[in-house]
Every structure is written in structure tokens, then in C-alpha cells.
Amino acid sequence: MAKALSVLNLPAHVAPRRNHSRPSLSYRPMMVTMAMSTPNKNKSYWTSVHEDIGAHLRQAVVVKEPVEVYEPMRHFVFAAPVNMAPALCVAACELVGGHREQAIVAAAALHVMHAASFIHENLPLSDRTSLIPKSKPTMYHAFKPNTELLVADAMLPFGLELLASSDNPAGNNSGRILRVMVEMTRAMGSQGVVEGQYNELQCSQCDDDDRKLNGITDVEMTYETYKKKEGRLHACGAACGAILGGGSEKEIELLRRYGFYVGMIQGIVSRRLGPTEEIEELKKLAFKLREVNSFNDENAEVIFSLVDDNITHVLGFNLG
């Protein structure tokens, strides 16, 4: 490897354990993660959030001129797997006292950006295909590779355009929108999802000699990948929701940390590395965030249900 991957920056008792086994680096797509034993009211809440995000996307992403751009864009937006980061954006907004309409556009924009990164990971290019784990989430290729590449590139700025369109000078939210734009570009860029994708490719190419030379294990390398991908993405979603809802700096950072823990747990589960001691430690850290704060209402119960003991259960949801 050109550069050794660092161990994720978490407390020592949560850091990955070194071992000599070689767990699979492959993973399945995480759809809407929800405990199957969660009360119906919690399921109904998350379902309603995703329905609202999907409804906004159906209105915002329409087929128009140039059709050769917008037709595949709409297809890809609804073909990408759903995860909890956009829904966390809405839930965090409501938790700090905001209204759903304040965060729904940002949630939709975050899904569009996530969809673009998913397309880039699934381009049917011969020089990458051999590096992608066989059980990695895939998509139906309805368009040629060059179209998929160009449209995915167009979706990132389109997501920012959606977000910018929610700027309402009369509502005095311009500063919040700008801050959310910075949050999303950092999470999706070279220090977030893109870095995670790079690390994932490095994992696929790393052989035993590289591992011995760098003194790192598959587990540590994989942890670094989902720290940057799932961890940063979900942290971003929760923080953006708190910002848009008018939360205090303490609330914003608390929900950022909570989103990070949710993303980390999803990363472990989706790569079939758990249940593990790390998952249990992350759950404890997540629940401590609620204990030291005043989040005691019904919204808090719903959002903290994401780290229920049965988080490994997955409920599929289709935004289309």
C-alpha cells in the first residue's frame, strides 16, 4: 500500500481489536435500518420521514431538457439504496424544536449526493470490477458507463442546487443553509466518503505482505473505511438537521456524535463483522448522549431507537 491506513479515532475501548482472522471486506447494501421489535409508532415515524423525502424528490427530480441528463438522473436517484442519513437529518431537526419542512430539502439533497457516490462505486469498468467484492451492493445498469459517470458527476452539484433553493431570506435561514452546504461537501469529499471509497479500493488491492509491512489488519483497514463512509455520512445528516432546526452548538455536536455512532454500527453490520463488542460499546456511547442531555420527549425516544439491540434487522424502503 502507498500509505498505511490509520486506526479510527475513537476511545481505546472502542477501537478495533487486532486479530489474525481475515473477515470478508464485502458487504450488502444497508437499506432503511430499523429494529423489527421497535414499537409500531417508531416504525411509522421513520416510514413517514422516508415517504416525505421520496415525495420531495419526485417533485424536484423531473425529466426535462436535456432529457439525456435528467432521465438517467431520475433513474439513479431512485435506484440507489436508501440509508438512514437523510432521515436522521429530518429527525434531528424535529428533535431540537424545528419543523420537518425546514430539513426535508436538505435530506433530499443528501440522498442525491449519496446516490451519486453509489453510482461511482458501481460503474461497470473492467479495471475496477475485479476489485469490487462480489457481494457489494450493485445496481441495474440501464445506461452506458460514460452516461453513468457523467450523470453521477452532475448529481453532486444538483444536490447543492436543491439545497440552495431552500434559502429563504424572509425566513432568515441563509446562514444555516450555507453552513449545511459546507457540512455536506466535507462529508462527501476527500476527507469523507471519497476517502472511504479510496480506502476500500486499497483494502481490495492489499496483500498479506502489505499487511505485514504496515502492521495492520483487515479489521483495522475496514474500520477506517466505514468510519469515513457510513460514519461521516450519518454524522453529517444528524448535524445538518440540528443546524436547520435551530439547535444550540451543544445539541448540534451531540447529534453529530450520535449520527456517527449510528453510521459506525451500520458499517459493522453491513460488512457482516458483527454483532461484536465494538457494536455494544458504540450503543453504550450513543445512549450516554441521551442520559447527559434533556432529550426526554417522544422524538428522542424515536431517534434513539436506531441503536436498539436488534439494529441488525433491516427493513427495505423504496423512495420511488
Side-chain angles (χ1 to χ4, degrees), residues 1-289:
M1 291 175 61
K3 182 180 179 181
L5 302 179
S6 61
V7 178
L8 78 168
N9 184 23
L10 282 177
H13 61 286
V14 189
R17 276 71 170 172
R18 288 175 176 263
N19 60 58
H20 299 290
S21 62
R22 297 186 57 182
S24 172
L25 295 177
S26 62
Y27 60 97
R28 53 186 170 81
M30 282 302 291
M31 302 299 282
V32 180
T33 305
M34 233 179 306
M36 298 305 287
S37 61
T38 301
N40 288 334
K41 64 180 180 180
N42 292 347
K43 289 184 181 180
S44 298
Y45 175 82
W46 294 116
T47 298
S48 71
V49 169
H50 283 281
E51 286 176 346
D52 286 348
I53 294 172
H56 185 83
L57 285 168
R58 286 191 294 275
Q59 292 181 347
V61 189
V62 297
V63 178
K64 59 183 180 180
E65 294 294 339
V67 175
E68 58 269 21
V69 173
Y70 283 98
E71 183 178 8
M73 182 184 295
R74 184 178 173 88
H75 167 78
F76 294 139
V77 164
F78 295 105
V82 179
N83 66 35
M84 286 303 296
L88 268 175
C89 181
V90 174
C93 177
E94 294 184 329
L95 182 60
V96 299
H99 301 288
R100 185 167 298 192
E101 59 268 22
Q102 292 176 277
I104 203 72
V105 180
L110 192 59
H111 174 77
V112 170
M113 294 180 185
H114 156 68
S117 69
F118 180 77
I119 296 165
H120 280 148
E121 289 185 0
N122 285 273
L123 290 173
L125 304 178
S126 58
D127 59 338
R128 284 197 62 198
T129 302
S130 61
L131 302 177
I132 299 176
K134 292 182 179 179
S135 60
K136 186 183 175 88
T138 58
M139 60 179 288
Y140 171 66
H141 297 289
F143 302 89
K144 294 181 179 180
N146 57 341
T147 299
E148 293 188 6
L149 175 62
L150 292 173
V151 171
D153 289 342
M155 288 169 66
L156 289 169
F158 180 76
L160 292 176
E161 180 184 344
L162 281 181
L163 185 56
S165 69
S166 66
D167 183 8
N168 179 14
N172 195 30
N173 70 339
S174 298
R176 295 176 185 177
I177 295 297
L178 178 59
R179 185 173 175 182
V180 167
M181 285 183 173
V182 173
E183 291 279 349
M184 287 190 183
T185 52
R186 284 178 176 171
M188 299 302 303
S190 59
Q191 297 180 26
V193 173
V194 171
E195 183 181 1
Q197 291 171 331
Y198 172 79
N199 289 343
E200 194 163 49
L201 285 175
Q202 292 291 89
C203 287
S204 300
Q205 300 177 71
C206 187
D207 57 26
D208 290 336
D209 290 337
D210 289 325
R211 295 182 181 90
K212 291 178 182 178
L213 178 64
N214 291 298
I216 53 179
T217 67
D218 282 353
V219 172
E220 291 168 344
M221 295 169 71
T222 308
Y223 263 68
E224 185 67 18
T225 294
Y226 62 72
K227 170 189 173 184
K228 295 294 184 178
K229 292 179 68 176
E230 288 90 347
R232 285 296 300 272
L233 183 64
H234 289 76
C236 171
C240 288
I243 292 168
L244 293 169
S248 66
E249 290 302 318
K250 179 180 178 181
E251 290 172 329
I252 292 168
E253 292 310 311
L254 180 148
L255 287 166
R256 184 196 306 279
R257 287 169 59 196
Y258 177 73
F260 180 77
Y261 296 147
V262 170
M264 292 292 289
I265 292 172
Q266 289 197 4
I268 295 172
V269 173
S270 66
R271 288 168 177 80
R272 299 175 182 174
L273 299 179
T276 67
E277 294 179 14
E278 287 75 26
I279 289 181
E280 295 307 316
E281 291 294 340
L282 288 164
K283 289 179 183 178
K284 290 177 183 178
L285 290 172
F287 281 117
K288 280 184 179 180
L289 295 180

